[in-house]
Amino acid sequence: RFQAYVYFASVFQAMSCGIHYLASVFMAVTPNFVCGVPGNVSSALFYNSSESSIEDIWTLWTSAENYIVVQLENGEIWELNQCSRSKREVSGDLAYEYKGNRSVFSCSDGFLYDDTKWKSTVVTQWDLVCDREWLAKLIQPTFMLGVLIGAVIFGDIADRLGRQRVIWFTSTGQFAFGIAVAFSFDYYSFVIVRFLLAMVSSGYLVVAFVYVTEFVGIKARTWASMHVHAFFAMGIMVVALVGFLARTWWVYQIFLSIATLPFVLCCWMLPETPFWLLSEEKYEDAQKVINTMARWNRVSTPCKVSELCSVQQDDLVSGGAGDNDTASAKKHNILDLFCNWHIARRTITVWLIWFTGSLGYYVFSLSSVSLGGNEYLNLFLIGAVELPCYIIACIAMDKLGRRNTLIPFLILSALICVLIMFIPQDFNILIILANMAGKFSIGVAFGLIYLYTAELYPTIVRTLAVGSGSMMCRVGSVVAPFCVYLRDIWIFMPLLLVGIMALLSGILTIMLPETLGKPLTNTLVEATEMGRNKRSSSEKIPPAHSGATLDKIEMFGQETVSTEK
């Protein structure tokens, strides 16, 4: 019961990470717009439709290449385009077609926006269109850059100061910075506060994974860690719901920020993990936490820290060679991931899978609002499809194997990307279903790569391998928004790039060894042999020795999965 309380309390706040990661899909949307006019409009004309105001024209607007003809109260006739306006030299009858002379002017009087869907967005608030459009396109990449930096900083701080303090600070920071975003006074303050919000959101996700895995038992650890992603996906679904209800960006941001306020109010009740307390030699505090766990779980004879410490000391005395291994492990650097051709090829493939998984995850998520139909329902479904995704991943990776699960789902995601290109654009339902299938398949691959990476490398460089892979994942999340913007060049360009990367990753994964049921390797020689031989490496590595390592790495592997998002 105690572990369940800690787990669900911690992962509940993970929803806020999913919320803030995808909040920009509605907050930074660009509605239809045209140049403003230097006066009051008496009538407006769009092709053959004449209206008394421009607001009535938006329902007829079909393309950015369209323009609106307006007549002012002083008799002047203007043609309004998106990034320029022209005044007709001859003011005669109001007609859409005109072959006379025009005087072209810039949009010095601001812009007129279509507010039928969104009353206000950050784009309309600060006119982030035309020559300032690039500022709008930097909103999501700068957020993802904050995610990258926050994961590194808070992961290190959690090891130094403890998980509990960082969880309290980052969860409180998410609420505080989330509210502060809504009250930004200009674009630059908005981006800076969002950057800080990204850092604490990423930091929370990193530390929350470590926190729950240090409380959850080994048997449930894989399922528990994988389903933290499910709560992240629920955050995406909350974004869709709040976006539907609140059409003003700052109101929308406030509602998103207070969605997980209950956790902020009670997070101070969460205890520090016994693992960290023991590592810092705070034995009395560790014993208090263990006694609390025993009371909650109705255990009459709780574990004694003094007994654990005595066993540890015996292990240290009898396992001097282990100390030498630990010391030598610290001397290794990232070049050891390229020590020979087999390991180098494995590293390149693993990095590519991390990058592709992150790229595909965010391309499908960010593109969902542009699929046609109801954009709120689209995003909700894209989030909901992740819930069964992680269940399938957990079952398949234990039944079929890591590689045998990864290959078909990577190739399937590539095939789905190609399939979407051949679906007619007016088949909205079919397009949405295909995108959901693509998100599902890339999600399965994305969910299991962290554990597979930990199993592919020996103990001496395992930390480097998983850490470097997670960095490639963050690079993918920074690149993904720019990839989505390529829709302006060709509507299928993002899918084409994801499809090529997924296909290449799937083909290269064939050359990776299967790790299901095999002991973990301890040296680079053993890891290389695992790739060469199809025989089980259990003949060379004593199961008891590798089993102890497995428990440690299982713990570490769960810590690192947080960097995926």
Side-chain angles (χ1 to χ4, degrees):
R1 291 191 299 173
F2 182 87
Q3 282 85 341
Y5 160 75
V6 169
Y7 178 78
F8 286 107
S10 302
V11 298
F12 176 76
Q13 180 68 4
M15 286 197 300
S16 66
C17 300
I19 286 171
H20 295 303
Y21 277 40
L22 273 296
S24 65
V25 294
F26 297 130
M27 185 165 50
V29 70
T30 302
N32 297 323
F33 67 94
V34 292
C35 268
V37 290
N40 297 322
V41 176
S42 61
S43 60
L45 182 66
F46 184 74
Y47 288 105
N48 297 324
S49 300
S50 179
E51 303 291 345
S52 59
S53 65
I54 296 179
E55 287 74 13
D56 299 326
I57 296 291
W58 294 124
T59 56
L60 307 174
W61 189 272
T62 56
S63 171
E65 298 177 358
N66 296 148
Y67 63 92
I68 299 175
V69 179
V70 297
Q71 186 171 32
L72 306 184
E73 292 179 349
N74 60 9
E76 294 179 351
I77 297 179
W78 291 76
E79 294 179 5
L80 306 179
N81 295 290
Q82 284 203 324
C83 296
S84 65
R85 57 184 180 174
S86 55
K87 177 184 176 182
R88 294 180 179 178
E89 297 296 337
V90 179
S91 299
D93 295 333
L94 184 63
Y96 198 74
E97 300 294 336
Y98 175 74
K99 297 182 180 180
N101 295 327
R102 300 177 177 85
S103 298
V104 180
F105 298 89
S106 63
C107 300
S108 57
D109 291 294
F111 300 87
L112 301 173
Y113 297 96
D114 177 10
D115 60 358
T116 54
K117 280 189 177 181
W118 299 279
K119 299 300 180 183
S120 173
T121 70
V122 295
V123 173
T124 64
Q125 180 89 12
W126 297 303
D127 289 336
L128 305 181
V129 293
C130 297
D131 58 339
R132 289 168 56 85
E133 181 183 10
W134 65 277
L135 293 174
K137 292 186 175 182
L138 283 179
I139 291 175
Q140 188 66 15
T142 52
F143 184 91
M144 288 302 181
L145 183 62
V147 168
L148 189 156
I149 296 174
V152 176
I153 292 177
F154 286 105
D156 181 63
I157 293 176
D159 288 335
R160 297 174 183 271
L161 301 182
R163 288 78 164 102
Q164 181 192 40
R165 294 178 182 177
V166 175
I167 282 181
W168 179 85
F169 178 80
T170 53
S171 57
T172 305
Q174 284 187 80
F175 175 75
F177 289 130
I179 297 296
V181 167
F183 294 96
S184 303
F185 53 86
D186 63 7
Y187 169 80
Y188 298 102
S189 64
F190 170 82
V191 171
I192 292 172
V193 177
R194 282 257 304 170
F195 183 85
L196 297 174
L197 175 61
M199 289 181 61
V200 294
S201 296
S202 175
Y204 180 85
L205 201 57
V206 168
V207 179
F209 268 93
V210 179
Y211 188 77
V212 299
T213 52
E214 289 183 353
F215 272 112
V216 176
I218 295 176
K219 292 183 179 180
R221 193 171 294 152
T222 299
W223 282 78
S225 62
M226 288 285 282
H227 283 81
V228 175
H229 295 301
F231 285 85
F232 186 96
M234 290 172 64
I236 298 177
M237 297 161 67
V238 171
V239 171
L241 179 61
V242 176
F244 176 76
L245 298 175
R247 306 299 178 91
T248 302
W249 77 268
W250 59 270
V251 175
Y252 162 83
Q253 176 65 27
I254 290 175
F255 278 124
L256 290 179
S257 299
I258 64 175
T260 53
L261 180 60
F263 177 81
V264 177
L265 298 176
C266 67
C267 64
W268 58 272
M269 299 172 60
L270 293 176
E272 184 57 79
T273 67
F275 281 96
W276 185 83
L277 292 171
L278 288 172
S279 70
E280 296 294 313
E281 299 182 355
K282 297 182 178 181
Y283 302 120
E284 292 184 5
D285 294 334
Q287 187 64 61
K288 291 178 181 178
V289 175
I290 292 174
N291 292 340
T292 302
M293 295 171 65
R295 285 196 302 271
W296 275 66
N297 297 336
R298 298 176 182 176
V299 176
S300 57
T301 56
C303 175
K304 299 296 183 182
V305 170
S306 57
E307 297 174 1
L308 288 176
C309 293
S310 63
V311 172
Q312 271 190 336
Q313 292 298 326
D314 293 341
D315 290 343
L316 288 174
V317 172
S318 61
D323 292 340
N324 295 332
D325 292 342
T326 303
S328 63
K330 296 179 181 179
K331 299 178 182 178
H332 291 274
N333 57 54
I334 199 168
L335 295 179
D336 290 306
L337 300 180
F338 300 88
C339 63
N340 60 56
W341 166 243
H342 293 279
I343 298 298
R345 184 177 61 186
R346 185 177 304 176
T347 299
I348 293 172
T349 302
V350 167
W351 282 4
L352 185 63
I353 296 171
W354 277 93
F355 178 86
T356 302
S358 179
L359 180 70
Y361 182 93
Y362 284 106
V363 164
F364 279 114
S365 298
L366 296 173
S367 300
S368 61
V369 295
S370 305
L371 299 178
N374 189 311
E375 56 268 30
Y376 306 104
L377 180 60
N378 294 350
L379 183 64
F380 184 89
L381 294 175
I382 284 293
V385 77
E386 286 189 58
L387 302 183
C389 158
Y390 301 121
I391 298 176
I392 298 298
C394 286
I395 296 174
M397 66 195 297
D398 288 337
K399 298 295 184 181
L400 303 178
R402 283 70 159 127
R403 184 188 64 178
N404 296 336
T405 301
L406 195 58
I407 293 173
F409 279 102
L410 281 172
I411 295 178
L412 177 62
S413 62
L415 294 176
I416 291 173
C417 289
V418 175
L419 175 65
I420 295 174
M421 298 181 190
F422 291 95
I423 300 177
Q425 289 301 294
D426 53 346
F427 284 49
N428 289 336
I429 296 179
L430 193 57
I431 291 175
I432 294 169
L433 291 175
N435 274 269
M436 290 176 62
K439 176 71 178 296
F440 180 92
S441 57
I442 204 72
V444 172
F446 194 26
L448 64 86
I449 182 57
Y450 81 94
L451 180 60
Y452 191 31
T453 302
E455 294 174 342
L456 284 172
Y457 289 89
T459 304
I460 58 174
V461 293
R462 188 169 287 120
T463 301
L464 285 169
V466 182
S468 62
S470 67
M471 288 300 294
M472 292 302 299
C473 160
R474 296 168 192 158
V475 172
S477 66
V478 174
V479 172
F482 293 108
C483 184
V484 173
Y485 297 148
L486 293 178
R487 286 176 60 92
D488 297 338
I489 299 175
W490 185 41
I491 191 173
F492 296 123
M493 184 65 75
L495 290 173
L496 178 63
L497 293 177
V498 172
I500 292 174
M501 297 295 291
L503 181 62
L504 180 61
S505 300
I507 294 174
L508 292 177
T509 303
I510 296 175
M511 295 184 288
L512 295 178
E514 178 57 68
T515 60
L516 177 63
K518 295 184 179 180
L520 295 175
T521 56
N522 294 302
T523 66
L524 288 167
V525 174
E526 293 172 356
T528 303
E529 289 299 318
M530 180 176 63
R532 290 176 177 175
N533 301 333
K534 294 185 178 179
R535 294 180 304 167
S536 171
S537 58
S538 59
E539 299 174 9
K540 301 183 179 181
I541 306 175
H545 179 72
S546 60
T549 310
L550 177 61
D551 186 20
K552 297 178 183 177
I553 296 310
E554 214 174 13
M555 181 79 69
F556 172 76
Q558 306 306 327
E559 296 178 13
T560 310
V561 69
S562 58
T563 57
E564 291 180 35
K565 299 294 187 203

